[in-house]
Amino acid sequence: MAKKKFSKEWVQQHINDPYVKLAQQKGYRARAAFKLSEILELEKIQIPGKVVVDLGSTPGSWSQVIRERMVGAGGVLNGRIIALDILEMEPVAGVEFMLGDFREDSVMEQLQDSLKGAQVDLVISDMAPNLSGVALADSARIQHLCELAQEFALQHLTDDGVLIVKAFHGSGFSQIVESFKRNFVRVVERKPKASRDKSAETFLVARGIKGR
């Protein structure tokens, strides 16, 4: 009974969520679009002419935001967006989508082949693992995804490139931040207004690779 009540409460909160309504009005596939938009504004990250890789892209709202900022006069896409996920994603105009798990070598090779030697200006990741409810196990999964995103970014970003990745406060978070700080010139934490107050999620924005 308690579970059913909680479910109804969640559905009601979701329906009444102003960001959910705004996403529907603007044609975004998820409210998460506003999280990325705010981070891009706060960090003054320019998108036109850039190469962007969206890790864990489905349902596609982050790719939608990037595409909006890439479209120039006459509706021409000025830049390149490569999106990747283990789940199918409905097409977004101008976005190159790859179905696969970027933890697998074969998928990484496919992504590298698609880049054709080009460096990436921005890597974005809104990925989150399926949570088990076991704190230590979940923290390890979250940390692993952040490490994988960082590893990809270090291999493919330009010297002054940017990585935006979702993390969660809790066990292992400080280690993730320290790892980022070892490898990037500037690392900041962002909690966008569109993030729910009860959520432990926070976004790390890392830019400028050290030692290049």
Side-chain angles (χ1 to χ4, degrees):
M1 290 295 291
K3 185 176 180 181
K4 187 175 181 181
K5 182 181 178 183
F6 173 80
S7 178
K8 285 182 178 179
E9 288 176 355
W10 185 91
V11 169
Q12 196 63 36
Q13 288 174 357
H14 185 76
I15 291 171
N16 294 326
D17 188 315
Y19 287 103
V20 171
K21 294 178 179 178
L22 196 56
Q24 292 170 346
Q25 291 171 10
K26 291 184 173 291
Y28 290 136
R29 296 175 182 178
R31 66 195 300 285
F34 299 106
K35 301 174 188 179
L36 179 60
S37 292
E38 183 177 336
I39 292 169
L40 295 175
E41 291 292 338
L42 289 171
E43 292 295 316
K44 297 180 173 58
I45 298 171
Q46 300 300 312
I47 300 301
K50 305 296 186 181
V51 176
V52 181
V53 173
D54 184 358
L55 300 174
S57 58
T58 303
S61 62
W62 276 27
S63 286
Q64 287 180 302
V65 169
I66 296 297
R67 183 189 180 279
E68 276 185 351
R69 291 165 182 256
M70 272 189 183
V71 173
V76 177
L77 194 68
N78 180 18
R80 189 178 180 201
I81 311 165
I82 303 173
L84 189 150
D85 204 294
I86 58 174
L87 300 174
E88 286 282 3
M89 185 179 88
E90 287 294 319
V92 176
V95 176
E96 304 164 46
F97 177 72
M98 293 182 185
L99 180 66
D101 189 336
F102 90 116
R103 293 171 293 186
E104 297 177 1
D105 291 341
S106 60
V107 176
M108 284 303 301
E109 288 172 6
Q110 182 185 355
L111 181 56
Q112 288 167 355
D113 288 344
S114 177
L115 286 169
K116 297 176 181 176
Q119 287 187 299
V120 179
D121 300 289
L122 173 63
V123 175
I124 56 177
S125 171
D126 193 32
M127 291 186 295
N130 292 324
L131 301 179
S132 65
V134 179
L136 286 176
D138 290 340
S139 294
R141 291 190 182 100
I142 292 163
Q143 189 167 353
H144 183 53
L145 287 179
C146 290
E147 288 169 351
L148 288 171
Q150 178 182 205
E151 182 180 332
F152 175 81
L154 290 172
Q155 290 176 355
H156 297 282
L157 278 179
T158 59
D159 291 353
D160 58 351
V162 182
L163 168 64
I164 301 173
V165 63
K166 177 159 72 176
F168 292 86
H169 280 285
S171 176
F173 178 75
S174 59
Q175 288 90 333
I176 294 170
V177 174
E178 284 305 312
S179 174
F180 275 48
K181 287 182 176 180
R182 283 195 298 271
N183 292 304
F184 292 91
V185 175
R186 180 176 182 268
V187 179
V188 297
E189 298 175 33
R190 293 291 185 188
K191 175 81 170 178
K193 294 174 184 175
S195 289
R196 292 189 170 97
D197 292 338
K198 294 179 181 178
S199 174
E201 75 175 8
T202 190
F203 293 86
L204 297 177
V205 183
R207 61 169 79 215
I209 298 175
K210 287 183 176 179
R212 284 276 185 91

